[in-house]
Amino acid sequence: MRKRYYNVERSARTSGKGKYQILKRLLRHRRSSIFELAADYDGTLIELTRDLEALIGEGAIKERNGVFQLRRESIPEHYKKLIRLEEELNRNFDEVSLVRRFKQITSGRPKPKKEHWQGFMSAESAVRRARFIHERCDDCLSRILLIGDDDLVSVAISLFGQAEEIVVLDIDEELVHYINQIASEHNFWIRAFPYDARSPLPKAFRNYFDAFVTEPPETLRGLRLFLSRGFQSLQGTGSAGYFGLTHIEASLRKWKRIEHFILSSGFVITDLLRDSARYPEKENAWEDLYAKYPIVQRWNAKPPKIDWYRSSLIRIEAVEQIKVRNVSVRSPAELFVDHESWATDNVFYSMNFQK
Amino acid sequence: MRKRYYNVERSARTSGKGKYQILKRLLRHRRSSIFELAADYDGTLIELTRDLEALIGEGAIKERNGVFQLRRESIPEHYKKLIRLEEELNRNFDEVSLVRRFKQITSGRPKPKKEHWQGFMSAESAVRRARFIHERCDDCLSRILLIGDDDLVSVAISLFGQAEEIVVLDIDEELVHYINQIASEHNFWIRAFPYDARSPLPKAFRNYFDAFVTEPPETLRGLRLFLSRGFQSLQGTGSAGYFGLTHIEASLRKWKRIEHFILSSGFVITDLLRDSARYPEKENAWEDLYAKYPIVQRWNAKPPKIDWYRSSLIRIEAVEQIKVRNVSVRSPAELFVDHESWATDNVFYSMNFQK
């Protein structure tokens, strides 16, 4: 009778995230029914069943009369770290405390540099992003790569304390130094390295990570380049990517081409959260840059008095072999400026596209 | 100097939604800067600029010293309806009042029928869905089609009072009658008709709507069938679709095939909100159905004590000519049951797939 359910395609979730979600639920609630487990599980009921069977087989959990529980006496060594982390980290994860802590830690953050087209999201946005990653269990004992991180999301992820290893690659050496300093002061397992995304991804970082996080430039080429580096960094099926994209400087036609690029690289889009990140005008102090934006020139506009710039968060997950294609980019202008980049210094636009 | 910005591809947003978003902002705030307008606008800065230029040209708004305002004295007739609606509808749109009103109106709703595989989302979820549609301006003076509506989202949309015409197609004649009754009692512009999604879409409803809303069955064939009916109902570029999809009964591999189907039909995915709808156990009273679910049979489970079933909301928008493909389905089982439907009456599964 039970046999017949097993005539199914192999699960796409081979990364252990599902098992971790089950263990975390049982740590928090001790006793759970199948439906309570399903409420905190991201996959299908078949995948849940398969993960439960595996955990029972390994001696990590038991089931009796429809109630699931941990088996602390026989839980395998490789799950103990997660359990230790969960129990040690009995911290206050509410929004306000986390944002306060993030702001304390990053109070000395460098100002955005226009030569690197920087501009960082609010502390609230960075913490919200890290929480979303945490809820998906993409940080559970995992390796996370940040391709560019003036947003300091690496620090926000560290506050949840579950990632095994965080690597930041950024073109800005001052930022790299700053992040390494924070990491050693606060005992975070982050290592930052200088890296220009136009160069090939170092071999040691290929097929290595469980998740990548990036805020790519919004030209088609810039998006493809940063995403390709991310794709190449991942281990494979079950690995996840997080990136930001705006409606402000990217049309829906461009969105569609990027979505097609994602699907044809072996990924599925699992989440797409509108206006998930806000960019605070005051802290970024962009005033002197605004004069160069096409939108300001067109309407003779004064600098904004509200935080109007925002971006959507897109989460993708690999469901088959990841395809990495070659994207080559020569000048920074090619990365950052196209006919839609109306809130970007357009000096290169006239230089490169108007002659 | 200004000329050069116009060497761009034509906007994908031809539906007037952008202009409506601008007018609504100016109605609420009277005077707005370009950045304040951008904060409430869904498109790119180029599209915003083009819409502003058109509105200025039509005499609907004016701009002076970087401040935009309505020109009530010369606003064209076809915008007046929106303005009248906005001003009349100076209603309390807060969550609590809307949910209370929705529950009052729908207190006599029919119980879900298992012969139609029904099960409705919570009042909170229906109102949240309608609000999201409203924020995107997909209801602004527009025509909306609901393909199946035991969730009564048509009623929730009506509470915002901006849709010009709402059509509900549902297989359940009792529900059709009930919705028509509510519409005439509360003076909502909803018309409901009996319709089996396996039949072709009536000609009068093709290429007619600005948006469709549906909660398709979760087999690949069911998803494709319902979405195809939705695609065929839409006018074209700029039209939008809203549909629900779960992780509970649809694997990421299936998600990917559906996303590919969406892109190759001329749409882009603009939003994907995880767990946006919850399904209340108590009101749906599914107890006697649970015994037939594979998940219950596998784990010998008792009926759930929590609202565990939830679905993600996906919004799509047409950015090019919509392609409608033929999807044929014979039996209801083909629509509702496959190897992943573990929270569905599986009687047909054994009948059709196990011989």
Side-chain angles (χ1 to χ4, degrees), chain B residues 114-150:
Chain B
K114 62 182 173 188
E115 65 270 30
H116 297 312
W117 316 73
Q118 289 172 346
F120 56 80
M121 64 176 69
S122 66
E124 290 76 9
S125 302
V127 167
R128 201 179 312 127
R129 180 150 309 183
R131 182 188 299 281
F132 191 70
I133 293 170
H134 182 65
E135 283 169 356
R136 304 281 73 72
C137 219
D138 283 323
D139 61 345
C140 294
L141 301 189
S142 76
R143 301 169 182 157
I144 301 180
L145 173 67
L146 292 104
I147 308 171
D149 193 28
D150 58 326

mmCIF file of all heavy atoms in Angstrom, chain B residues 114-150:
data_model
loop_
_atom_site.group_PDB
_atom_site.id
_atom_site.type_symbol
_atom_site.label_atom_id
_atom_site.label_comp_id
_atom_site.label_asym_id
_atom_site.label_seq_id
_atom_site.Cartn_x
_atom_site.Cartn_y
_atom_site.Cartn_z
ATOM 1 N N LYS B 114 -16.787 19.199 -1.942
ATOM 2 C CA LYS B 114 -15.663 18.349 -2.316
ATOM 3 C C LYS B 114 -15.747 17.920 -3.771
ATOM 4 O O LYS B 114 -14.730 17.691 -4.408
ATOM 5 C CB LYS B 114 -15.516 17.148 -1.377
ATOM 6 C CG LYS B 114 -16.671 16.190 -1.355
ATOM 7 C CD LYS B 114 -16.397 15.062 -0.343
ATOM 8 C CE LYS B 114 -17.644 14.195 -0.208
ATOM 9 N NZ LYS B 114 -17.539 13.224 0.872
ATOM 10 N N GLU B 115 -16.975 17.872 -4.335
ATOM 11 C CA GLU B 115 -17.058 17.469 -5.742
ATOM 12 C C GLU B 115 -16.410 18.508 -6.661
ATOM 13 O O GLU B 115 -16.066 18.218 -7.798
ATOM 14 C CB GLU B 115 -18.504 17.177 -6.168
ATOM 15 C CG GLU B 115 -19.461 18.357 -6.151
ATOM 16 C CD GLU B 115 -20.161 18.528 -4.801
ATOM 17 O OE1 GLU B 115 -19.542 18.167 -3.764
ATOM 18 O OE2 GLU B 115 -21.299 19.025 -4.781
ATOM 19 N N HIS B 116 -16.234 19.739 -6.175
ATOM 20 C CA HIS B 116 -15.526 20.748 -6.973
ATOM 21 C C HIS B 116 -14.134 21.043 -6.410
ATOM 22 O O HIS B 116 -13.515 22.038 -6.778
ATOM 23 C CB HIS B 116 -16.339 22.045 -7.046
ATOM 24 C CG HIS B 116 -17.659 21.885 -7.734
ATOM 25 N ND1 HIS B 116 -17.786 21.238 -8.937
ATOM 26 C CD2 HIS B 116 -18.910 22.270 -7.388
ATOM 27 C CE1 HIS B 116 -19.059 21.230 -9.307
ATOM 28 N NE2 HIS B 116 -19.764 21.842 -8.382
ATOM 29 N N TRP B 117 -13.660 20.201 -5.498
ATOM 30 C CA TRP B 117 -12.310 20.344 -4.949
ATOM 31 C C TRP B 117 -12.115 21.737 -4.363
ATOM 32 O O TRP B 117 -11.049 22.338 -4.492
ATOM 33 C CB TRP B 117 -11.251 20.083 -6.036
ATOM 34 C CG TRP B 117 -11.540 18.907 -6.878
ATOM 35 C CD1 TRP B 117 -12.498 18.805 -7.842
ATOM 36 C CD2 TRP B 117 -10.893 17.627 -6.834
ATOM 37 N NE1 TRP B 117 -12.491 17.558 -8.406
ATOM 38 C CE2 TRP B 117 -11.513 16.809 -7.817
ATOM 39 C CE3 TRP B 117 -9.848 17.098 -6.077
ATOM 40 C CZ2 TRP B 117 -11.120 15.506 -8.043
ATOM 41 C CZ3 TRP B 117 -9.454 15.801 -6.321
ATOM 42 C CH2 TRP B 117 -10.100 15.015 -7.294
ATOM 43 N N GLN B 118 -13.155 22.255 -3.711
ATOM 44 C CA GLN B 118 -13.061 23.621 -3.204
ATOM 45 C C GLN B 118 -12.384 23.694 -1.841
ATOM 46 O O GLN B 118 -12.217 22.688 -1.152
ATOM 47 C CB GLN B 118 -14.462 24.243 -3.095
ATOM 48 C CG GLN B 118 -15.091 24.565 -4.441
ATOM 49 C CD GLN B 118 -16.538 24.982 -4.317
ATOM 50 O OE1 GLN B 118 -17.158 24.790 -3.282
ATOM 51 N NE2 GLN B 118 -17.075 25.550 -5.386
ATOM 52 N N GLY B 119 -12.060 24.890 -1.449
ATOM 53 C CA GLY B 119 -11.429 25.200 -0.175
ATOM 54 C C GLY B 119 -11.033 26.653 -0.266
ATOM 55 O O GLY B 119 -10.286 27.012 -1.162
ATOM 56 N N PHE B 120 -11.554 27.488 0.635
ATOM 57 C CA PHE B 120 -11.331 28.918 0.422
ATOM 58 C C PHE B 120 -10.303 29.507 1.370
ATOM 59 O O PHE B 120 -10.076 29.014 2.466
ATOM 60 C CB PHE B 120 -12.648 29.700 0.473
ATOM 61 C CG PHE B 120 -13.457 29.524 1.735
ATOM 62 C CD1 PHE B 120 -13.124 30.218 2.885
ATOM 63 C CD2 PHE B 120 -14.569 28.683 1.751
ATOM 64 C CE1 PHE B 120 -13.881 30.077 4.037
ATOM 65 C CE2 PHE B 120 -15.329 28.531 2.907
ATOM 66 C CZ PHE B 120 -14.977 29.225 4.054
ATOM 67 N N MET B 121 -9.667 30.587 0.911
ATOM 68 C CA MET B 121 -8.670 31.279 1.724
ATOM 69 C C MET B 121 -9.369 32.139 2.770
ATOM 70 O O MET B 121 -10.560 32.441 2.656
ATOM 71 C CB MET B 121 -7.753 32.128 0.845
ATOM 72 C CG MET B 121 -8.438 33.267 0.110
ATOM 73 S SD MET B 121 -7.278 34.318 -0.840
ATOM 74 C CE MET B 121 -6.769 33.224 -2.152
ATOM 75 N N SER B 122 -8.626 32.561 3.783
ATOM 76 C CA SER B 122 -9.197 33.367 4.857
ATOM 77 C C SER B 122 -9.630 34.738 4.337
ATOM 78 O O SER B 122 -9.145 35.207 3.303
ATOM 79 C CB SER B 122 -8.168 33.554 5.971
ATOM 80 O OG SER B 122 -7.090 34.331 5.498
ATOM 81 N N ALA B 123 -10.530 35.375 5.063
ATOM 82 C CA ALA B 123 -10.968 36.729 4.713
ATOM 83 C C ALA B 123 -9.765 37.668 4.646
ATOM 84 O O ALA B 123 -9.648 38.483 3.725
ATOM 85 C CB ALA B 123 -11.969 37.226 5.751
ATOM 86 N N GLU B 124 -8.852 37.523 5.606
ATOM 87 C CA GLU B 124 -7.652 38.365 5.626
ATOM 88 C C GLU B 124 -6.860 38.194 4.329
ATOM 89 O O GLU B 124 -6.371 39.168 3.751
ATOM 90 C CB GLU B 124 -6.750 38.000 6.821
ATOM 91 C CG GLU B 124 -7.295 38.374 8.192
ATOM 92 C CD GLU B 124 -8.399 37.434 8.687
ATOM 93 O OE1 GLU B 124 -8.628 36.375 8.044
ATOM 94 O OE2 GLU B 124 -9.051 37.749 9.701
ATOM 95 N N SER B 125 -6.734 36.948 3.882
ATOM 96 C CA SER B 125 -5.961 36.686 2.660
ATOM 97 C C SER B 125 -6.647 37.293 1.439
ATOM 98 O O SER B 125 -5.986 37.859 0.564
ATOM 99 C CB SER B 125 -5.798 35.180 2.447
ATOM 100 O OG SER B 125 -5.174 34.586 3.555
ATOM 101 N N ALA B 126 -7.980 37.171 1.374
ATOM 102 C CA ALA B 126 -8.714 37.704 0.219
ATOM 103 C C ALA B 126 -8.577 39.224 0.160
ATOM 104 O O ALA B 126 -8.352 39.807 -0.904
ATOM 105 C CB ALA B 126 -10.187 37.297 0.297
ATOM 106 N N VAL B 127 -8.677 39.863 1.323
ATOM 107 C CA VAL B 127 -8.562 41.324 1.368
ATOM 108 C C VAL B 127 -7.135 41.756 1.026
ATOM 109 O O VAL B 127 -6.924 42.728 0.299
ATOM 110 C CB VAL B 127 -8.985 41.853 2.758
ATOM 111 C CG1 VAL B 127 -8.573 43.303 2.936
ATOM 112 C CG2 VAL B 127 -10.488 41.695 2.934
ATOM 113 N N ARG B 128 -6.153 40.998 1.514
ATOM 114 C CA ARG B 128 -4.761 41.324 1.202
ATOM 115 C C ARG B 128 -4.517 41.218 -0.309
ATOM 116 O O ARG B 128 -3.836 42.045 -0.905
ATOM 117 C CB ARG B 128 -3.816 40.384 1.968
ATOM 118 C CG ARG B 128 -2.407 40.933 2.116
ATOM 119 C CD ARG B 128 -1.494 39.984 2.901
ATOM 120 N NE ARG B 128 -2.113 39.530 4.116
ATOM 121 C CZ ARG B 128 -2.239 38.240 4.473
ATOM 122 N NH1 ARG B 128 -1.761 37.280 3.705
ATOM 123 N NH2 ARG B 128 -2.834 37.906 5.602
ATOM 124 N N ARG B 129 -5.094 40.191 -0.918
ATOM 125 C CA ARG B 129 -4.940 40.026 -2.366
ATOM 126 C C ARG B 129 -5.546 41.221 -3.107
ATOM 127 O O ARG B 129 -4.939 41.776 -4.019
ATOM 128 C CB ARG B 129 -5.599 38.712 -2.816
ATOM 129 C CG ARG B 129 -5.483 38.452 -4.302
ATOM 130 C CD ARG B 129 -5.435 36.981 -4.617
ATOM 131 N NE ARG B 129 -4.421 36.295 -3.823
ATOM 132 C CZ ARG B 129 -4.133 35.003 -3.939
ATOM 133 N NH1 ARG B 129 -4.772 34.260 -4.814
ATOM 134 N NH2 ARG B 129 -3.194 34.455 -3.188
ATOM 135 N N ALA B 130 -6.753 41.624 -2.689
ATOM 136 C CA ALA B 130 -7.413 42.750 -3.353
ATOM 137 C C ALA B 130 -6.608 44.034 -3.170
ATOM 138 O O ALA B 130 -6.477 44.845 -4.081
ATOM 139 C CB ALA B 130 -8.824 42.921 -2.795
ATOM 140 N N ARG B 131 -6.031 44.214 -1.984
ATOM 141 C CA ARG B 131 -5.238 45.418 -1.745
ATOM 142 C C ARG B 131 -4.002 45.445 -2.644
ATOM 143 O O ARG B 131 -3.625 46.481 -3.185
ATOM 144 C CB ARG B 131 -4.800 45.491 -0.276
ATOM 145 C CG ARG B 131 -4.009 46.772 0.049
ATOM 146 C CD ARG B 131 -3.419 46.753 1.448
ATOM 147 N NE ARG B 131 -4.429 46.663 2.480
ATOM 148 C CZ ARG B 131 -5.158 47.692 2.898
ATOM 149 N NH1 ARG B 131 -4.973 48.884 2.369
ATOM 150 N NH2 ARG B 131 -6.058 47.538 3.835
ATOM 151 N N PHE B 132 -3.403 44.286 -2.819
ATOM 152 C CA PHE B 132 -2.208 44.228 -3.665
ATOM 153 C C PHE B 132 -2.568 44.586 -5.111
ATOM 154 O O PHE B 132 -1.851 45.335 -5.785
ATOM 155 C CB PHE B 132 -1.578 42.836 -3.572
ATOM 156 C CG PHE B 132 -0.218 42.761 -4.186
ATOM 157 C CD1 PHE B 132 0.857 43.393 -3.587
ATOM 158 C CD2 PHE B 132 -0.011 42.086 -5.377
ATOM 159 C CE1 PHE B 132 2.120 43.349 -4.157
ATOM 160 C CE2 PHE B 132 1.248 42.029 -5.955
ATOM 161 C CZ PHE B 132 2.317 42.667 -5.346
ATOM 162 N N ILE B 133 -3.707 44.075 -5.578
ATOM 163 C CA ILE B 133 -4.199 44.410 -6.921
ATOM 164 C C ILE B 133 -4.441 45.917 -7.019
ATOM 165 O O ILE B 133 -4.085 46.568 -8.001
ATOM 166 C CB ILE B 133 -5.497 43.620 -7.215
ATOM 167 C CG1 ILE B 133 -5.187 42.121 -7.313
ATOM 168 C CG2 ILE B 133 -6.184 44.131 -8.478
ATOM 169 C CD1 ILE B 133 -6.425 41.222 -7.368
ATOM 170 N N HIS B 134 -5.009 46.472 -5.955
ATOM 171 C CA HIS B 134 -5.316 47.901 -5.906
ATOM 172 C C HIS B 134 -4.033 48.740 -5.927
ATOM 173 O O HIS B 134 -3.952 49.761 -6.617
ATOM 174 C CB HIS B 134 -6.122 48.175 -4.636
ATOM 175 C CG HIS B 134 -6.557 49.596 -4.485
ATOM 176 N ND1 HIS B 134 -7.444 50.196 -5.353
ATOM 177 C CD2 HIS B 134 -6.234 50.548 -3.575
ATOM 178 C CE1 HIS B 134 -7.649 51.450 -4.985
ATOM 179 N NE2 HIS B 134 -6.928 51.687 -3.907
ATOM 180 N N GLU B 135 -3.031 48.314 -5.176
ATOM 181 C CA GLU B 135 -1.773 49.065 -5.152
ATOM 182 C C GLU B 135 -1.100 49.077 -6.524
ATOM 183 O O GLU B 135 -0.462 50.046 -6.905
ATOM 184 C CB GLU B 135 -0.815 48.462 -4.114
ATOM 185 C CG GLU B 135 -1.176 48.840 -2.684
ATOM 186 C CD GLU B 135 -0.389 48.042 -1.652
ATOM 187 O OE1 GLU B 135 0.396 47.140 -2.048
ATOM 188 O OE2 GLU B 135 -0.572 48.294 -0.464
ATOM 189 N N ARG B 136 -1.228 47.981 -7.257
ATOM 190 C CA ARG B 136 -0.656 47.911 -8.602
ATOM 191 C C ARG B 136 -1.506 48.671 -9.611
ATOM 192 O O ARG B 136 -1.176 48.743 -10.772
ATOM 193 C CB ARG B 136 -0.513 46.454 -9.073
ATOM 194 C CG ARG B 136 0.301 45.535 -8.157
ATOM 195 C CD ARG B 136 1.777 45.709 -8.324
ATOM 196 N NE ARG B 136 2.282 46.940 -7.751
ATOM 197 C CZ ARG B 136 2.401 47.201 -6.450
ATOM 198 N NH1 ARG B 136 2.023 46.341 -5.556
ATOM 199 N NH2 ARG B 136 2.888 48.360 -6.041
ATOM 200 N N CYS B 137 -2.659 49.164 -9.179
ATOM 201 C CA CYS B 137 -3.591 49.885 -10.051
ATOM 202 C C CYS B 137 -4.173 48.962 -11.127
ATOM 203 O O CYS B 137 -4.608 49.420 -12.173
ATOM 204 C CB CYS B 137 -2.920 51.102 -10.695
ATOM 205 S SG CYS B 137 -4.000 52.537 -10.791
ATOM 206 N N ASP B 138 -4.173 47.676 -10.875
ATOM 207 C CA ASP B 138 -4.773 46.757 -11.842
ATOM 208 C C ASP B 138 -6.298 46.780 -11.763
ATOM 209 O O ASP B 138 -6.968 46.162 -12.588
ATOM 210 C CB ASP B 138 -4.263 45.324 -11.611
ATOM 211 C CG ASP B 138 -2.852 45.137 -12.154
ATOM 212 O OD1 ASP B 138 -2.544 45.715 -13.214
ATOM 213 O OD2 ASP B 138 -2.052 44.431 -11.516
ATOM 214 N N ASP B 139 -6.839 47.484 -10.758
ATOM 215 C CA ASP B 139 -8.296 47.611 -10.680
ATOM 216 C C ASP B 139 -8.780 48.996 -11.112
ATOM 217 O O ASP B 139 -9.979 49.233 -11.176
ATOM 218 C CB ASP B 139 -8.792 47.313 -9.251
ATOM 219 C CG ASP B 139 -8.223 48.284 -8.221
ATOM 220 O OD1 ASP B 139 -7.249 48.996 -8.540
ATOM 221 O OD2 ASP B 139 -8.754 48.332 -7.100
ATOM 222 N N CYS B 140 -7.848 49.896 -11.457
ATOM 223 C CA CYS B 140 -8.243 51.274 -11.792
ATOM 224 C C CYS B 140 -9.090 51.308 -13.054
ATOM 225 O O CYS B 140 -8.557 51.134 -14.162
ATOM 226 C CB CYS B 140 -7.010 52.137 -12.014
ATOM 227 S SG CYS B 140 -6.038 52.368 -10.543
ATOM 228 N N LEU B 141 -10.372 51.559 -12.924
ATOM 229 C CA LEU B 141 -11.287 51.652 -14.069
ATOM 230 C C LEU B 141 -11.116 50.458 -14.996
ATOM 231 O O LEU B 141 -11.202 50.593 -16.214
ATOM 232 C CB LEU B 141 -11.020 52.927 -14.873
ATOM 233 C CG LEU B 141 -11.161 54.252 -14.135
ATOM 234 C CD1 LEU B 141 -11.072 55.393 -15.130
ATOM 235 C CD2 LEU B 141 -12.477 54.317 -13.383
ATOM 236 N N SER B 142 -10.866 49.296 -14.431
ATOM 237 C CA SER B 142 -10.503 48.180 -15.294
ATOM 238 C C SER B 142 -11.498 47.039 -15.205
ATOM 239 O O SER B 142 -12.397 47.027 -14.373
ATOM 240 C CB SER B 142 -9.103 47.696 -14.940
ATOM 241 O OG SER B 142 -9.162 46.959 -13.749
ATOM 242 N N ARG B 143 -11.320 46.087 -16.109
ATOM 243 C CA ARG B 143 -12.161 44.888 -16.149
ATOM 244 C C ARG B 143 -11.359 43.712 -15.609
ATOM 245 O O ARG B 143 -10.262 43.444 -16.097
ATOM 246 C CB ARG B 143 -12.562 44.583 -17.581
ATOM 247 C CG ARG B 143 -13.325 45.699 -18.259
ATOM 248 C CD ARG B 143 -13.419 45.379 -19.735
ATOM 249 N NE ARG B 143 -14.094 46.435 -20.466
ATOM 250 C CZ ARG B 143 -13.941 46.637 -21.776
ATOM 251 N NH1 ARG B 143 -13.149 45.846 -22.479
ATOM 252 N NH2 ARG B 143 -14.582 47.614 -22.372
ATOM 253 N N ILE B 144 -11.932 43.031 -14.643
ATOM 254 C CA ILE B 144 -11.211 41.934 -13.997
ATOM 255 C C ILE B 144 -12.006 40.642 -14.110
ATOM 256 O O ILE B 144 -13.210 40.624 -13.860
ATOM 257 C CB ILE B 144 -10.947 42.264 -12.510
ATOM 258 C CG1 ILE B 144 -10.120 43.555 -12.411
ATOM 259 C CG2 ILE B 144 -10.230 41.119 -11.819
ATOM 260 C CD1 ILE B 144 -9.792 43.972 -10.995
ATOM 261 N N LEU B 145 -11.311 39.569 -14.499
ATOM 262 C CA LEU B 145 -11.944 38.250 -14.605
ATOM 263 C C LEU B 145 -11.446 37.346 -13.488
ATOM 264 O O LEU B 145 -10.238 37.249 -13.258
ATOM 265 C CB LEU B 145 -11.594 37.609 -15.953
ATOM 266 C CG LEU B 145 -12.059 36.152 -16.134
ATOM 267 C CD1 LEU B 145 -13.585 36.071 -16.189
ATOM 268 C CD2 LEU B 145 -11.453 35.540 -17.393
ATOM 269 N N LEU B 146 -12.377 36.682 -12.800
ATOM 270 C CA LEU B 146 -11.982 35.654 -11.833
ATOM 271 C C LEU B 146 -12.370 34.295 -12.383
ATOM 272 O O LEU B 146 -13.548 34.046 -12.666
ATOM 273 C CB LEU B 146 -12.640 35.909 -10.477
ATOM 274 C CG LEU B 146 -12.066 37.183 -9.830
ATOM 275 C CD1 LEU B 146 -13.046 38.322 -9.941
ATOM 276 C CD2 LEU B 146 -11.618 36.922 -8.425
ATOM 277 N N ILE B 147 -11.368 33.429 -12.563
ATOM 278 C CA ILE B 147 -11.644 32.082 -13.064
ATOM 279 C C ILE B 147 -11.698 31.165 -11.855
ATOM 280 O O ILE B 147 -10.677 30.732 -11.337
ATOM 281 C CB ILE B 147 -10.555 31.638 -14.058
ATOM 282 C CG1 ILE B 147 -10.382 32.714 -15.136
ATOM 283 C CG2 ILE B 147 -10.916 30.293 -14.683
ATOM 284 C CD1 ILE B 147 -9.196 32.482 -16.028
ATOM 285 N N GLY B 148 -12.903 30.895 -11.404
ATOM 286 C CA GLY B 148 -13.100 30.222 -10.118
ATOM 287 C C GLY B 148 -12.993 31.260 -9.022
ATOM 288 O O GLY B 148 -12.056 32.060 -9.021
ATOM 289 N N ASP B 149 -13.975 31.291 -8.122
ATOM 290 C CA ASP B 149 -13.874 32.299 -7.062
ATOM 291 C C ASP B 149 -14.576 31.871 -5.783
ATOM 292 O O ASP B 149 -15.312 32.651 -5.186
ATOM 293 C CB ASP B 149 -14.403 33.656 -7.550
ATOM 294 C CG ASP B 149 -14.027 34.795 -6.592
ATOM 295 O OD1 ASP B 149 -12.993 34.667 -5.915
ATOM 296 O OD2 ASP B 149 -14.769 35.788 -6.528
ATOM 297 N N ASP B 150 -14.324 30.640 -5.331
ATOM 298 C CA ASP B 150 -14.880 30.291 -4.019
ATOM 299 C C ASP B 150 -14.190 31.093 -2.919
ATOM 300 O O ASP B 150 -14.687 31.174 -1.799
ATOM 301 C CB ASP B 150 -14.825 28.778 -3.744
ATOM 302 C CG ASP B 150 -13.423 28.205 -3.802
ATOM 303 O OD1 ASP B 150 -12.616 28.699 -4.618
ATOM 304 O OD2 ASP B 150 -13.125 27.271 -3.044
#
